[in-house]
Amino acid sequence: MGIKAALPRIELYIYTAVLGLALLWAASWIIEASSENVNRRAFRENVKPGWHYFGRRMDVSDFEWVMWFTTFRNHILFALSGHVIFAKICSMLSPKNRSLIYMMYGALAVLITMGWTYISLILSHCIVLYSVALVKKKWLCFVAGLTSLATFKMEPFSGWQEGFVTGSFDLQDILFYGGCGFSIMRCMSFALENCEKKDGNYSFMDLIKYNFYLPFFFFGPVMTFDRFHEQANNPNLTRKEREMWNITIHALVHLGAILVVDVFFHFLYILTIPGDLKLLKQLSDWSLAGLAYSNLVYDWVKAAVMFGVINTVSRLDHLDPPQPPKCITMLYVFAETHFDRGINDWLCKYVYDYIGENHDSIIKELLATICTFAVTTLWLGPCDIVYIWSFFNCFGLNFELWVAKLFSLPPFSTIENNLMSEAMSRRIRGLFNAVNFWQIILYNVLALNSLDFAQLVAKRLLLKGFPLSTLSVLFVTYCGVQLIKERERKQALLDDPEPVPPPEAGKPKAE
């Protein structure tokens, strides 16, 4: 059945009310647990003084968020502000050479921050992968690129290379591995695009310009070489109508998201509570479900803010960077589940879509997903929790295809097409999507939080809480899925409006 299938308006109102009340109910349990247990011994390390005048403490267990808005805040603001000013002046003076100017500023900033040895290490990997790219063999580019990536993700090679970087400061480890990892992915994109180039090769300077664009260097996102090369070398710097207004609005939205997260961290200790198993066992099923869901929402917000700030700067440079990740609330299929759209675009273009082609064949899809998650496992850093996360998400992606294939065959397809209305088909599909939604949550929360927390949530919702908690949580999820489908239906109507039927014969047209 089509995506444009509609449901009665009163039904959607009921779904909205149920979902809103359920979220408030779950949030009230988490607020109560946060307030009553703030003085627990397990909380002392991660709950620090916050809003003194309101008597609230703050959850600071996410070192990455704290780093971004304390230690790293002044550094990144200074570096990116300098880039914006420098880029604007130079793009006005010499728009044809702006990619070279971006590279010079980025390389200088990396040199000042990390030193000569770090620059030399990055350049050595660039030289190796550029040399491999000249051979124009994709399999060789993959072998060389993944080997280089492994040297930064696996011991003893990663520790050995880190020893070349002299000096010591708070952000050195994070900047070291961030810059190296993203550099390798960019070099692989360059090499693979060079294999596709029909006449000649891209130059080594093209690779350096691409890799040392400062906003993307340390923290991404990865923008594939073909897109970057085309956009960064486009001398036409005219903007679309209302483009600057949209950039400003996006920047304000990201600022608002930062403030909202700061408020939540003073009332909802969603990151600290899952680390206390004794407390978790005392909480209600609704609290555990709310904690699991909110952990994924928070991780999406963190990714959206981080990439949103960087993307705002790149849009000022007349680039069209990868979009922020799709909110977990809007997802009910594994195929759209990702927290870094740049890496996702990279994997889809060079691995998943290349091997899976049109994704109709079960065998090709299985091979494509296995290869995709093998590369993802190496990118995240091989360890037990990453292996488990990769296995379950790979299984979920394939299971979706298997179920879709099964229900496209008779008698299921016959029943849906001939004996079922579009609205009823949408309702039944929504039930399956609700189950899928919780698979996505459980499979991903184990990597974002812990395996013990994921196991506890699964046992409480599927075993101990059955049938009341299980069915009630699924019903609320079903309501949310139908609201997402309604949003998708409206967007589909905007993108492809229904044709207006011609007037009946003999009936006058309305003026």
Side-chain angles (χ1 to χ4, degrees):
M1 295 292 179
I3 194 176
K4 298 178 183 178
L7 294 179
R9 185 164 296 182
I10 185 65
E11 184 176 342
L12 295 173
Y13 289 155
I14 293 173
Y15 292 157
T16 304
V18 170
L19 181 63
L21 292 173
L23 290 176
L24 291 175
W25 178 255
S28 68
W29 280 93
I30 300 174
I31 291 175
E32 183 179 350
S34 301
S35 300
E36 292 182 354
N37 298 280
V38 67
N39 293 317
R40 288 176 67 92
R41 183 178 300 176
F43 280 32
R44 291 177 183 173
E45 183 177 350
N46 294 324
V47 178
K48 301 296 183 180
W51 291 342
H52 174 73
Y53 295 105
F54 293 93
R56 302 298 306 183
R57 297 183 184 179
M58 182 179 179
D59 189 340
V60 295
S61 54
D62 187 348
F63 80 95
E64 190 176 15
W65 182 271
V66 173
M67 174 202 72
W68 265 85
F69 297 104
T70 54
T71 309
F72 195 60
R73 178 185 58 199
N74 296 332
H75 297 80
I76 189 64
L77 286 178
F78 178 77
L80 291 182
S81 297
H83 172 87
V84 170
I85 297 171
F86 188 72
K88 185 63 177 178
I89 294 173
C90 294
S91 63
M92 293 171 62
L93 297 176
S94 181
K96 292 183 179 181
N97 297 316
R98 62 192 182 100
S99 60
L100 176 63
I101 296 167
Y102 296 161
M103 179 272 292
M104 294 172 59
Y105 179 87
L108 181 62
V110 174
L111 173 63
I112 293 173
T113 305
M114 301 296 290
W116 277 108
T117 52
Y118 182 77
I119 286 281
S120 301
L121 180 64
I122 294 293
L123 287 175
S124 66
H125 283 273
C126 291
I127 292 171
V128 170
L129 291 175
Y130 176 75
S131 302
V132 173
L134 298 179
V135 182
K136 291 199 171 186
K137 299 289 184 182
K138 286 189 175 182
W139 68 268
L140 188 59
C141 293
F142 266 109
V143 170
L146 295 179
T147 302
S148 291
L149 184 62
T151 62
F152 291 109
K153 299 294 182 179
M154 302 173 67
E155 292 290 352
F157 306 104
S158 60
W160 175 70
Q161 291 186 97
E162 189 180 4
F164 284 108
V165 180
T166 57
S168 178
F169 58 99
D170 293 339
L171 303 173
Q172 181 171 298
D173 291 345
I174 297 170
L175 296 180
F176 176 86
Y177 288 107
C180 292
F182 281 108
S183 290
I184 300 301
M185 300 301 279
R186 285 187 287 265
C187 287
M188 289 181 67
S189 176
F190 172 87
L192 293 168
E193 293 298 331
N194 193 67
C195 293
E196 296 290 337
K197 188 175 174 60
K198 302 297 182 183
D199 51 334
N201 299 286
Y202 292 109
S203 68
F204 183 68
M205 184 57 69
D206 289 328
L207 173 58
I208 300 302
K209 291 176 184 178
Y210 171 48
N211 188 58
F212 283 96
Y213 178 66
L214 184 62
F216 295 164
F217 183 83
F218 286 113
F219 298 107
V222 174
M223 188 177 182
T224 55
F225 174 75
D226 56 329
R227 293 181 57 198
F228 180 87
H229 183 71
E230 178 184 0
Q231 295 174 22
N233 291 284
N234 181 12
N236 183 13
L237 302 183
T238 58
R239 295 194 181 275
K240 299 177 182 177
E241 186 180 358
R242 296 178 62 83
E243 184 176 354
M244 282 304 301
W245 171 257
N246 292 331
I247 292 174
T248 304
I249 293 299
H250 277 92
L252 293 176
V253 168
H254 295 133
L255 178 60
I258 294 171
L259 297 177
V260 169
V261 170
D262 194 57
V263 171
F264 281 178
F265 275 175
H266 284 84
F267 292 91
L268 302 170
Y269 301 153
I270 57 174
L271 303 180
T272 295
I273 292 176
D276 189 345
L277 290 178
K278 292 183 178 179
L279 175 60
L280 288 175
K281 293 177 181 179
Q282 302 172 15
L283 300 180
S284 67
D285 297 343
W286 273 99
S287 297
L288 291 178
L291 280 171
Y293 167 74
S294 58
N295 265 256
L296 262 72
V297 172
Y298 163 70
D299 199 72
W300 167 79
V301 171
K302 181 172 68 173
V305 168
M306 182 175 69
F307 292 129
V309 171
I310 293 172
N311 287 356
T312 299
V313 175
S314 63
R315 286 192 180 97
L316 292 174
D317 293 337
H318 299 270
L319 298 181
D320 182 20
Q323 297 299 309
K326 193 173 183 180
C327 180
I328 188 66
T329 304
M330 308 301 295
L331 296 178
Y332 52 82
V333 291
F334 278 91
E336 297 183 0
T337 306
H338 50 264
F339 291 90
D340 184 338
R341 199 181 294 262
I343 293 295
N344 181 76
D345 292 345
W346 191 101
L347 290 169
C348 286
K349 180 171 185 178
Y350 300 123
V351 184
Y352 184 60
D353 291 338
Y354 180 76
I355 298 175
E357 296 178 348
N358 56 6
H359 304 291
D360 288 336
S361 170
I362 290 178
I363 301 301
K364 286 186 177 180
E365 180 74 1
L366 180 61
L367 180 61
T369 52
I370 290 174
C371 292
T372 300
F373 280 100
V375 176
T376 305
T377 299
L378 181 60
W379 164 252
L380 294 175
C383 63
D384 292 343
I385 198 69
V386 174
Y387 296 145
I388 297 171
W389 174 87
S390 294
F391 172 80
F392 279 113
N393 279 273
C394 183
F395 168 77
L397 196 58
N398 282 279
F399 188 70
E400 282 182 348
L401 177 64
W402 301 337
V403 172
K405 284 284 188 184
L406 177 63
F407 280 88
S408 65
L409 301 174
F412 301 107
S413 60
T414 304
I415 294 173
E416 184 179 22
N417 293 328
N418 299 330
L419 303 178
M420 193 179 299
S421 67
E422 288 192 348
M424 183 55 66
S425 174
R426 171 175 161 175
R427 294 186 184 102
I428 293 175
R429 287 173 179 265
L431 292 174
F432 286 98
N433 295 146
V435 175
N436 214 35
F437 184 89
W438 272 99
Q439 287 187 83
I440 293 173
I441 289 180
L442 293 176
Y443 293 169
N444 285 279
V445 78
L446 64 89
L448 297 176
N449 201 289
S450 69
L451 181 59
D452 292 335
F453 176 57
Q455 288 179 329
L456 180 61
V457 174
K459 288 180 181 178
R460 290 283 289 273
L461 292 183
L462 300 179
L463 299 176
K464 292 185 178 181
F466 187 84
L468 183 60
S469 296
T470 305
L471 296 180
S472 59
V473 169
L474 281 179
F475 175 66
V476 171
T477 307
Y478 166 81
C479 295
V481 168
Q482 290 296 0
L483 294 176
I484 298 169
K485 285 180 173 289
E486 182 64 18
R487 184 176 182 272
E488 292 174 347
R489 184 186 74 87
K490 292 179 178 179
Q491 186 61 45
L493 290 174
L494 291 175
D495 296 338
D496 183 21
E498 295 285 355
V500 179
E504 297 179 9
K507 187 176 180 179
K509 295 182 181 180
E511 294 294 337

